[in-house]
Amino acid sequence: MLFVAPNTVKINNKNNVVEPSLKNNLLFIGTLYKEKGIFELLTAYKNAFFNNADIPILNVIGDGKEMSKIIQWINKNELNNKIYLRGAIYDSATLEYYFKNAIACISPSQAGLSVLLSMGYGVPFITNFNSITGGERLNIKNNQTGILYKKHSDLMKIILDICVDKIKYLNMGIKAKKFYNEHRTANHMVSGFINAINYVTK
């Protein structure tokens, strides 16, 4: 007998109904170190900006050893008015604010619990098909609840695509939220443990 307790995070806001016009930002969330592909994201964003200066701003939530290098990079490329470093945020209400304003959450090289966090807030998750994961990436259905891209150059194209077809990504977010509500809430995780315990103790 096999029981599954899907790894997830608890989201307080269950409905997450947001006026689409309010969703006008991109989001990165996580510890700032090279292995997460933060500089891959920054480079793709810069290249997209050169093609379309009206791309959404990028909010970076997190802290880590690459912070000072990221600040230097932003200054050097004169993107202070497009990329904002918000630091580490642990308050759920503040996190909810940034997710409510996000069209998509992007993490090129690592797809952990932030995948479920994004889906729980109705935000599609964008990551590399081969990103590091503990299995959380497998929750993403490509082009339906998020994007799994294969080449580094694809990320710039995705950012530009968000500019011209925002509604597509908002619809992905709706589907991501539906998947989370139906399959990945904290109750689903707890139920997996309870079912296993009940089976063993019978």
Side-chain angles (χ1 to χ4, degrees):
M1 183 65 68
L2 177 66
F3 297 93
V4 177
N7 199 18
T8 191
V9 293
K10 184 178 179 181
I11 302 296
N12 293 323
N13 180 18
K14 299 196 174 177
N15 293 322
N16 199 42
V17 177
V18 178
E19 168 60 39
S21 64
L22 295 178
K23 285 183 164 285
N24 52 13
N25 301 331
L26 301 177
L27 184 64
F28 170 94
I29 182 168
T31 308
L32 303 180
Y33 58 89
K34 286 183 179 179
E35 290 77 9
K36 285 210 170 184
I38 180 63
F39 284 101
E40 178 185 335
L41 170 56
L42 294 175
T43 300
Y45 185 90
K46 178 185 74 171
N47 292 338
F49 176 75
F50 287 157
N51 283 272
N52 184 352
D54 292 326
I55 62 173
I57 68 167
L58 171 62
N59 285 313
V60 177
I61 296 177
D63 201 352
K65 61 184 181 181
E66 297 298 321
M67 176 66 87
S68 60
K69 291 181 181 178
I70 293 170
I71 292 172
Q72 292 174 12
W73 187 95
I74 293 172
N75 290 334
K76 178 182 177 182
N77 290 281
E78 300 181 343
L79 288 169
N80 308 74
N81 294 324
K82 298 296 289 187
I83 302 175
Y84 294 88
L85 302 180
R86 305 300 184 181
I89 297 175
Y90 303 103
D91 176 68
S92 58
T94 306
L95 283 175
E96 181 177 340
Y97 167 80
Y98 283 107
F99 274 102
K100 276 190 172 183
N101 286 276
I103 303 168
C105 185
I106 306 173
S107 179
S109 301
Q110 191 162 8
L113 284 174
S114 53
V115 174
L116 282 308
L117 189 64
S118 295
M119 297 179 92
Y121 281 120
V123 178
F125 198 87
I126 298 170
T127 188
N128 191 285
F129 185 82
N130 293 313
S131 58
I132 300 168
T133 185
E136 296 85 359
R137 186 189 67 222
L138 302 178
N139 292 289
I140 301 170
K141 197 163 186 181
N142 193 29
N143 286 312
Q144 293 191 41
T145 60
I147 300 285
L148 298 170
Y149 65 90
K150 293 186 177 181
K151 298 184 297 184
H152 294 324
S153 59
D154 290 339
L155 185 52
M156 179 195 74
K157 297 174 185 176
I158 292 168
I159 294 172
L160 290 172
D161 187 51
I162 290 172
C163 298
V164 298
D165 198 0
K166 175 181 170 182
I167 192 67
K168 176 173 76 175
Y169 294 86
L170 296 181
N171 286 334
M172 283 186 200
I174 292 170
K175 291 178 182 177
K177 179 65 175 173
K178 185 174 186 291
F179 175 82
Y180 174 88
N181 285 342
E182 294 179 356
H183 303 287
R184 290 296 181 268
T185 66
N187 287 338
H188 290 107
M189 184 176 183
V190 171
S191 293
F193 287 110
I194 292 175
N195 292 336
I197 293 170
N198 288 340
Y199 179 81
V200 172
T201 55
K202 280 183 180 178

